[in-house]
Each structure stands twice: as structure tokens, then as C-alpha cells.
Amino acid sequence: EIVLTQSPGTLSLSPGERATLSCRASQSVSSNFLAWYQQKPGQAPRLFIYGASSRATGIPDRFSGSGSGTDFTLTISRLEPEDFAVYYCQQYGSSPWTFGQGTKVEIK
Amino acid sequence: EVQLVESGGGLVQPGGSLRLSCAASGFTFSSYAMSWVRQAPGKGLEWVSAVSSGGSTYYADSVKGRFTISRDTSKNTLFLQVNSLRAEDTAVYYCAKHSSYYYGSGSYLGYWGQGTLVTVSS
């Protein structure tokens, strides 16, 4: 199975700053079928990015996804207060689907 | 609006069983694949099982032979029968709607329910 490794584990930033989250796969992700989810405490995950770079419905354009093959990035251009949460990457190109361990974006 | 509402979780002893349900609305349930994903307390996400619109089923190795996924299209409901439960099965179980009719390459999880907690303990 494909192992996804996210870094850093925790990102401490201030509102207005830029956040860069990394997701590295143990082998190439088929057709860049890589998604990013946001999860807040006590809530379900919410799809933010699919196909490595396509924003889901209603996701603001300060969120962008990039990358291909084994290296993917989620960028938040300017952090808003509601963006502080845990972000997971997930590959859906090869069974079984797998998730990264998550990156927590916290307020500095 | 897509809505997914899970139920059926609870406290169960090791070796016990539960039947989890997920009531779906706001979309044509029969046309989409569905999955269960779980999250142990304070941990990350783990895909558990999926069923295609046609009824083909898929399982993670960790639950194969113990869990059974099914769907009732007449009731727009997804099920997960969980048997021979172990302490490591303790988690919030989420149901999620796929973006397509199949589980497999290219079919991502667009919508998630709020989850139901399963606690396995004596």
C-alpha cells in the first residue's frame, strides 16, 4: 500500500501568514489522485482539494494544491482564523486508499 | 443538500457485534459508491470498507472477514456489520459519499457524515 507522510506535524503561524503543508508518497500516486481534507475538533473531515489541485465546491481561492508523482503541497496563501485545523492528505489512486497522519495548523 | 447521518454506535465488549447505519439524502443514493472511514481517538483517518453502486464490496485487510458492508437502496441506507470486535476497533466511524459510482482509482470522498462512536471495552 502507498504510505503518505505529511510534514511538518505541527505548523505554528499567525493569521495573515502563508502556510505550506507537504505530503510525500512512498510510490507514485496514480494520475495525481490526491485529496486534502480539513478537520476541526469534533467535526467530520471536509474535502478541500481533489485531483491534487482542484478546489472542492465552496473552498476559497486562498487554498491551492500542487504537485505530482510522489510530492504534493497544500498552500494557504493568507491564514484566516477559521483555517486553523488539522489537514490530511489522502491518495485514491491505488487500493487500499490511504491517508497521511495529518498536519495541525495552530495559532502562534 | 447532501446529508449523511450515522447511527448504531455504542459500547460493546471485546468479541461483540454492532450494526452501524448511515441514512443518506439529498442525492441519488443508488448511483454512488459509499465508504466507511474510521478514526481512533486522537488518531488519523483509516479507510475501512466501500461498496460500489452495483454492490461490489471492498475491505481493508484489518477488518476483512469481520466486517460486512451493505446497502439498501430502497431505504437510502448504508450499513456496516461489525463482528468480533477488538479494542483496536474503537473509533468514530464515518460514512462518506464517493464522487462516482465505483470505488477505485479516481473516485474521491466528497461528503462525510458526522460519525458514530464505537467503543470496545470490557
Side-chain angles (χ1 to χ4, degrees), chain A residues 20-38:
Chain A
T20 303
L21 288 66
S22 173
C23 177
R24 178 161 291 178
S26 60
Q27 54 188 280
S28 184
V29 176
S30 173
S31 300
N32 296 330
F33 288 141
L34 192 287
W36 290 92
Y37 300 88
Q38 179 196 70

Side-chain angles (χ1 to χ4, degrees), chain B residues 13-29:
Chain B
Q13 292 187 338
S17 299
L18 284 173
R19 190 190 198 199
L20 309 183
S21 300
C22 171
S25 61
F27 65 101
T28 305
F29 179 71

Side-chain angles (χ1 to χ4, degrees), chain A residues 29-35 51-52 72 90-94, chain B residues 102 104-107:
Chain A
V29 176
S30 173
S31 300
N32 296 330
F33 288 141
L34 192 287
F72 299 88
Q90 181 234 340
Q91 67 82 21
Y92 54 100
S94 304
Chain B
Y102 61 92
S105 186
S107 181

Side-chain angles (χ1 to χ4, degrees), chain B residues 24-90:
Chain B
S25 61
F27 65 101
T28 305
F29 179 71
S30 60
S31 297
Y32 290 89
M34 300 291 294
S35 270
W36 288 96
V37 177
R38 68 184 180 183
Q39 185 171 36
K43 302 298 184 182
L45 301 164
E46 179 189 17
W47 172 79
V48 171
S49 181
V51 58
S52 71
S53 63
S56 296
T57 58
Y58 309 86
Y59 298 95
D61 285 347
S62 59
V63 306
K64 203 171 291 183
R66 300 187 298 122
F67 291 11
T68 302
I69 191 171
S70 62
R71 63 194 301 164
D72 184 337
T73 54
S74 68
K75 296 181 178 179
N76 287 349
T77 302
L78 177 72
F79 300 101
L80 186 69
Q81 178 69 39
V82 296
N83 298 331
S84 303
L85 283 163
R86 307 165 180 166
E88 55 265 34
D89 296 318
T90 294

Side-chain angles (χ1 to χ4, degrees), chain A residues 33 39 44 50 88 92 95 97, chain B residues 39 94 98 103 105-108 113:
Chain A
F33 288 141
Q39 187 178 35
Y50 63 94
Y88 294 94
Y92 54 100
S95 186
W97 291 357
Chain B
Q39 185 171 36
Y94 297 101
H98 285 235
Y103 161 75
S105 186
S107 181
Y108 57 86

Side-chain angles (χ1 to χ4, degrees), chain A residues 12 51 67 84 99:
Chain A
S12 298
F84 293 91
F99 292 84

Side-chain angles (χ1 to χ4, degrees), chain A:
Chain A
E1 71 178 46
I2 296 179
V3 176
L4 299 179
T5 302
Q6 292 186 240
S7 61
T10 302
L11 202 48
S12 298
L13 295 169
S14 301
E17 290 193 294
R18 181 184 186 92
T20 303
L21 288 66
S22 173
C23 177
R24 178 161 291 178
S26 60
Q27 54 188 280
S28 184
V29 176
S30 173
S31 300
N32 296 330
F33 288 141
L34 192 287
W36 290 92
Y37 300 88
Q38 179 196 70
Q39 187 178 35
K40 296 182 177 180
Q43 296 186 16
R46 179 186 177 189
L47 176 69
F48 266 50
I49 299 286
Y50 63 94
S53 61
S54 297
R55 278 188 300 275
T57 303
I59 303 306
D61 60 8
R62 64 179 180 273
F63 289 87
S64 63
S66 63
S68 64
T70 60
D71 288 292
F72 299 88
T73 301
L74 175 68
T75 301
I76 311 171
S77 59
R78 286 177 57 86
L79 283 163
E80 297 287 340
E82 62 268 27
D83 300 337
F84 293 91
V86 178
Y87 293 83
Y88 294 94
C89 61
Q90 181 234 340
Q91 67 82 21
Y92 54 100
S94 304
S95 186
W97 291 357
T98 49
F99 292 84
Q101 82 278 18
T103 290
K104 181 179 182 180
V105 180
E106 65 175 22
I107 300 176
K108 186 174 181 180

